[in-house]
Amino acid sequence: MYWDAVRVSADIAWLALEQLGHATGCVYTDEASRIWCWLVPPATVSAWPRIPGVHLCSVGTSVEVPSLNAVDGVVHWLIPPSSSRYLTDGALLQQAVAVAAERLIGVPAAALCTRCQRTTRAPVPVRWESMSSGPDRAVYACPDCALRLTPGPGRAEVLIR
């Protein structure tokens, strides 16, 4: 059986698993590195955007997988594989991980660049804007444009005003 693997920091993984619920496939953890790993269908991760705290593994990547009966120890199954629960749907996992990372880290998987107005899959927060109605919001740029922009007020500076 072939698959891609999605390695996620434990902090993000908890939130992603909460969103996936029963839609998750098997999941294992490496307690030493605080990483959880989902298995997804082959060639699923090639189109994923860069998400902080997530490492995508595909063809040519070596991934340590626990034995089928490993339910404790450093590397073990949190949700063991079974005939009804094996691979996780890649699109569902991508959505759950992106939302979890944004909730935890505050940086979305993709955003509109404030300078060039193109969607970037590697958004860099460059300033915060105080909104007259609703919560304050971060303004993002692509990595190239971020180098050319003068950083604006940070989140703490907006909150103090």
Side-chain angles (χ1 to χ4, degrees):
M1 177 62 98
Y2 293 96
W3 35 258
D4 285 352
V6 179
R7 295 173 47 87
V8 182
S9 71
D11 296 335
I12 296 170
W14 275 108
L15 294 171
L17 183 62
E18 184 179 86
Q19 289 181 53
L20 284 169
H22 293 292
T24 191
C26 59
V27 182
Y28 69 89
T29 184
D30 179 338
E31 297 288 342
S33 60
R34 298 196 72 242
I35 296 291
W36 290 21
C37 188
W38 276 267
L39 305 179
V40 296
T44 300
V45 301
S46 61
W48 276 42
R50 184 178 81 51
I51 301 172
V54 177
H55 181 73
L56 306 172
C57 306
S58 195
V59 176
T61 307
S62 177
V63 177
E64 179 183 6
V65 178
S67 65
L68 288 176
N69 59 354
V71 291
D72 57 15
V74 176
V75 178
H76 64 273
W77 293 102
L78 293 171
I79 301 174
S82 67
S83 59
S84 63
R85 187 172 271 184
Y86 184 53
L87 299 179
T88 300
D89 179 284
L92 290 177
L93 180 60
Q94 178 185 350
Q95 177 68 23
V97 168
V99 168
E102 187 171 356
R103 275 180 42 196
L104 188 67
I105 300 170
V107 177
L112 187 66
C113 174
T114 190
R115 184 171 183 265
C116 68
Q117 296 299 303
R118 288 183 291 204
T119 299
T120 176
R121 291 181 177 229
V124 177
V126 291
R127 69 176 174 272
W128 280 82
E129 290 183 344
S130 184
M131 306 303 288
S132 58
S133 64
D136 297 338
R137 70 177 188 97
V139 176
Y140 297 96
C142 64
D144 290 337
C145 290
L147 296 172
R148 296 178 178 93
L149 292 171
T150 304
R155 186 176 197 173
E157 295 165 306
V158 169
L159 293 175
I160 292 172
R161 292 182 186 175

